[in-house]
Amino acid sequence: EVGGQAFDKIGCYQRALALDPQFAIAWNNLGVAGGGEVGGQAFSKIACIQHSLALDPQCATAWNNLGVAGGGGEVGGQAFTEIACYRRALALDPQCAMAWANLGWAG
């Protein structure tokens, strides 16, 4: 509760983005939470993560999360498969254990 108002996790991310629409991590987190409405517009989980990567294309965590969402997202005009997302995450951070595990799971 903040100021007498309760916020769930999506509400917290939406509030963060209302304050700073360029906050890449909040976009990523909103995507992981399943997406939501920002500025009166609905965003799917993939659209949120794509937006995060448009703001910070060097974020290995967001690349991993785009893979977890199934890939297929377009970033910078290029489409990325699930496996390509994990590989991109690992190119940025070879120590990203979650991306290694997800790459192994994806085959």
Side-chain angles (χ1 to χ4, degrees):
E1 219 174 276
V2 177
Q5 185 176 356
F7 291 91
D8 63 3
K9 63 183 170 184
I10 289 177
C12 290
Y13 303 140
Q14 289 169 320
R15 180 70 179 137
L17 290 166
L19 294 169
D20 182 1
Q22 303 301 306
F23 190 16
I25 294 169
W27 279 107
N28 177 67
N29 291 351
L30 183 60
V32 170
E37 192 172 298
V38 176
Q41 184 178 351
F43 291 88
S44 69
K45 64 182 173 183
I46 289 177
C48 289
I49 299 168
Q50 287 172 310
H51 201 82
S52 174
L53 287 166
L55 295 168
D56 183 6
Q58 303 302 309
C59 182
T61 300
W63 280 105
N64 179 69
N65 290 336
L66 185 58
V68 170
E74 193 171 291
V75 178
Q78 182 179 353
F80 288 86
T81 65
E82 175 186 7
I83 290 174
C85 291
Y86 300 138
R87 288 181 178 155
R88 180 74 177 130
L90 291 166
L92 293 166
D93 180 5
Q95 303 302 312
C96 184
M98 185 62 72
W100 277 111
N102 289 334
L103 181 59
W105 180 257

